Amino acid sequence: MDYQEIWRAVLGEIELQISRPNFLTWFKGSQLIEKDEKEGKVLIGLPNQFAKEWVKNKYHKLILGVLRQMDSSIKQVDYVVINQYLNKHSQVSSKITQKLKTKSTVSPQPNIQPSLIELKIDPKTNLNPQYTLENFVVGSSNELAYAAVNAVIKDIGRKYNPLFIYGGVGLGKTHLLQAAGNKIVEEYKQKIKVLYISSEKFISDVITAVRNKRMEDIKQKYRNVDVLIIDDIQFIGGKPTTELEFFYTFNALYENQKQIIISSDRPPAAIPTLEERLRSRFEGGMIADIGYPDYEMRLAILKTKAQQQGWLPEEKILELIASRIQSNVRELEGVLNKVIFYQQYKKENLDLKKVENIINETIRAFSKNITANDIIKAVSEFYEISPNDLINRSRKQEVVEPRQVAMYLLREILKMSYPNIGEKLGKRDHTTVIHAWEKINYEINNNPSFSQKIMLIKERIYKK
Ligand code: ADP
Ligand code: MG
């Protein structure tokens, strides 16, 4: 097993133990750089100083634990910033150093197997080559959406515009949207300009542009494409400025027969705060839903994912997983990765009982039911104030920030509506809540130490 594989296995384990935002924030771009067999030392590389300090302080124990689980000879883990390490060791000709060097300084090589470690997202399109139509399993729950995507690819901007795909969490919306983008780039090369964006990114771009009085930037970026793919549009509802800007962008593209592909966790009619004219625009195109995969399809997905990893567990094991996990493909993958990890790396013989345990563990981790009170409790503990100060109408200066943070997190984590949040925290008006969301979101994007704070609070929430 080479370093990449070891690290991939470690990441697979860590991913299950920490929240997804933390995982993506801190472990994206991490590498296992060196392993000194004699001394039992491992060197982990991180993309920048900040990530290095953070991972070392927060996740050292976890990393060491997971590494030692796999290889008990490991005694010490150190951390470096990848580029600093490469500069220092530029003479060293060890294969690994060379490999790392090629990866981080030369443009990405198209034939390297994409993996979690090198999320090779193309910065021009925001597309991740890992998501393809070829590795998207089609069955009765998603065949309409799949067919619609293919029709769009054949006749961009004309056939179904916009294409609106909706469905629950973890059912493949992002995969399908990204795959559509990748296919278009592949088929039309440079002739068609594709841009994939999450609606959160769009929202924060609009907020930044408004603040800096640079609305031109938005026009430049978003109206200049042939295919705009916007993921999780539901978050745009209730943000009037952003909705309006999106409406303009939408119209500009639409009138020029540019293609718009949208995803959402629910149909347009069910996004409560969506402005009517935007809703009717969405409904004017093609709407396709993605439902829950049936057993056969779940089994097929497991096999596809296993093959992608180059490891096929016994049929009986796959059948057990497919029959137990029914409502979320991401969860299916989580269990599969764990099973592969045990078999491939720990060389453990997994009987069905053990697989059953893995399934139960995963289900528990995914369904940690977080409530509004958990969030309020974590925020007030963090700021060392009483939860009542958040809930009551207190106007004390020291509760202003905590209350705004609580509002933000209730929205982000529980997707509560703005009026509900206002009701829950000091009987505030929903515009106050929107203002709080925008303020905190801005701080998170512009102030690293503030964003650290939010991470710490989120950790508290997920650790409950
Ligand atoms: P959503 O955006 O709907 O929450 P994702 O697209 O992120 O869901 O899917 C979650 C995971 O499940 C991804 O790793 C994705 O590749 C996988 N997945 C979902 N549906 C399929 C499918 N039909 N075939 C293959 N993989 C799938
Ligand atoms: Mg998604």
Side-chain angles (χ1 to χ4, degrees), residues 68-211:
R68 287 184 52 95
Q69 245 181 40
M70 297 196 299
D71 181 345
S72 51
S73 71
I74 294 174
K75 295 192 179 58
Q76 191 182 333
V77 182
D78 291 318
Y79 303 85
V80 286
V81 176
I82 294 171
N83 275 335
Q84 287 173 3
Y85 175 88
L86 290 177
N87 290 340
K88 250 201 238 150
H89 293 75
S90 51
Q91 272 86 311
V92 181
S93 61
S94 96
K95 246 183 166 170
I96 285 297
T97 315
Q98 284 303 328
K99 219 165 118 193
L100 280 172
K101 211 173 151 106
T102 336
K103 262 187 208 147
S104 51
T105 53
V106 178
S107 64
Q109 314 239 320
N111 54 355
I112 296 177
Q113 262 285 350
S115 74
L116 235 178
I117 305 164
E118 352 145 1
L119 288 168
K120 287 185 299 141
I121 295 169
D122 181 337
K124 283 208 290 291
T125 58
N126 295 330
L127 291 173
N128 181 340
Q130 178 183 322
Y131 295 116
T132 65
L133 287 179
E134 287 71 28
N135 64 26
F136 187 75
V137 175
V138 184
S140 56
S141 63
N142 60 14
E143 62 192 352
L144 179 64
Y146 179 80
V149 159
N150 280 292
V152 160
I153 294 169
K154 288 213 182 69
D155 200 353
I156 294 173
R158 276 179 250 259
K159 183 94 180 186
Y160 296 134
N161 207 10
L163 171 59
F164 190 103
I165 292 175
Y166 72 89
V169 180
L171 295 181
K173 300 181 297 293
T174 297
H175 187 137
L176 189 55
L177 259 58
Q178 284 262 341
N182 280 322
K183 191 58 152 194
I184 292 169
V185 170
E186 182 191 318
E187 295 220 333
Y188 299 87
K189 300 284 175 319
Q190 313 296 344
K191 276 182 270 166
I192 297 259
K193 226 166 126 185
V194 180
L195 181 65
Y196 166 95
I197 194 87
S198 67
S199 80
E200 281 120 320
K201 178 76 176 91
F202 185 84
I203 294 164
S204 85
D205 277 3
V206 171
I207 293 171
T208 310
V210 168
R211 254 169 241 260

Side-chain angles (χ1 to χ4, degrees), residues 158-428:
R158 276 179 250 259
K159 183 94 180 186
Y160 296 134
N161 207 10
L163 171 59
F164 190 103
I165 292 175
Y166 72 89
V169 180
L171 295 181
K173 300 181 297 293
T174 297
H175 187 137
L176 189 55
L177 259 58
Q178 284 262 341
N182 280 322
K183 191 58 152 194
I184 292 169
V185 170
E186 182 191 318
E187 295 220 333
Y188 299 87
K189 300 284 175 319
Q190 313 296 344
K191 276 182 270 166
I192 297 259
K193 226 166 126 185
V194 180
L195 181 65
Y196 166 95
I197 194 87
S198 67
S199 80
E200 281 120 320
K201 178 76 176 91
F202 185 84
I203 294 164
S204 85
D205 277 3
V206 171
I207 293 171
T208 310
V210 168
R211 254 169 241 260
N212 302 337
K213 302 201 169 49
R214 291 191 57 98
M215 293 314 283
E216 277 307 307
D217 293 358
I218 299 279
K219 289 204 185 92
Q220 266 292 327
K221 180 167 172 188
Y222 291 103
R223 298 193 198 174
N224 227 339
V225 299
D226 303 300
V227 179
L228 180 65
I229 303 176
I230 178 151
D231 205 354
D232 285 324
I233 194 87
Q234 71 274 6
F235 294 122
I236 227 172
K239 302 189 177 64
T241 320
T242 316
E243 268 194 57
L244 191 63
E245 195 50 43
F246 184 72
F247 184 71
Y248 293 146
T249 305
F250 185 100
N251 285 345
L253 292 172
Y254 185 81
E255 278 155 20
N256 288 309
Q257 294 201 337
K258 307 296 188 192
Q259 180 69 45
I260 300 146
I261 307 177
I262 298 168
S263 87
S264 166
D265 67 350
R266 62 202 95 164
I271 306 177
T273 43
L274 195 66
E275 247 203 76
E276 197 42 49
R277 53 185 174 172
L278 207 43
R279 191 193 317 274
S280 72
R281 281 295 194 197
F282 292 166
E283 285 172 345
M286 166 79 177
I287 300 183
D289 73 321
I290 299 187
Y292 295 117
D294 61 17
Y295 172 78
E296 294 305 324
M297 198 172 150
R298 297 198 295 273
L299 196 57
I301 292 174
L302 283 172
K303 287 182 183 167
T304 312
K305 298 283 173 193
Q307 261 151 20
Q308 267 172 288
Q309 301 210 28
W311 184 273
L312 203 58
E314 273 175 71
E315 184 83 15
K316 262 206 246 114
I317 292 184
L318 296 180
E319 284 170 0
L320 176 63
I321 304 173
S323 69
R324 284 289 313 279
I325 301 213
Q326 295 162 353
S327 58
N328 185 327
V329 179
R330 198 170 289 138
E331 223 170 299
L332 271 182
E333 268 190 279
V335 174
L336 178 71
N337 289 342
K338 250 187 159 169
V339 165
I340 292 180
F341 165 76
Y342 279 111
Q343 291 191 321
Q344 196 174 15
Y345 197 74
K346 296 181 88 177
K347 308 248 180 303
E348 268 183 38
N349 239 340
L350 287 188
D351 54 16
L352 291 180
K353 186 91 202 101
K354 177 100 200 204
V355 176
E356 187 80 46
N357 286 343
I358 295 176
I359 293 171
N360 290 337
E361 260 168 48
T362 311
I363 292 178
R364 232 175 290 131
F366 270 87
S367 65
K368 246 188 190 172
N369 262 335
I370 293 177
T371 65
N373 284 339
D374 294 331
I375 294 176
I376 291 170
K377 182 162 166 273
V379 171
S380 51
E381 276 172 11
F382 182 87
Y383 286 99
E384 297 179 326
I385 56 171
S386 134
N388 284 335
D389 281 344
L390 289 180
I391 294 167
N392 298 338
R393 287 194 65 98
S394 160
R395 287 186 184 276
K396 279 190 253 169
Q397 192 52 35
E398 67 266 26
V399 303
V400 173
E401 180 182 308
R403 189 182 281 130
Q404 286 180 334
V405 167
M407 288 173 170
Y408 175 86
L409 292 172
L410 286 173
R411 177 73 184 172
E412 288 304 300
I413 297 175
L414 298 183
K415 318 273 180 263
M416 273 171 69
S417 75
Y418 293 122
N420 271 344
I421 296 172
E423 181 61 28
K424 184 126 196 115
L425 295 180
K427 303 230 180 312
R428 308 281 153 156

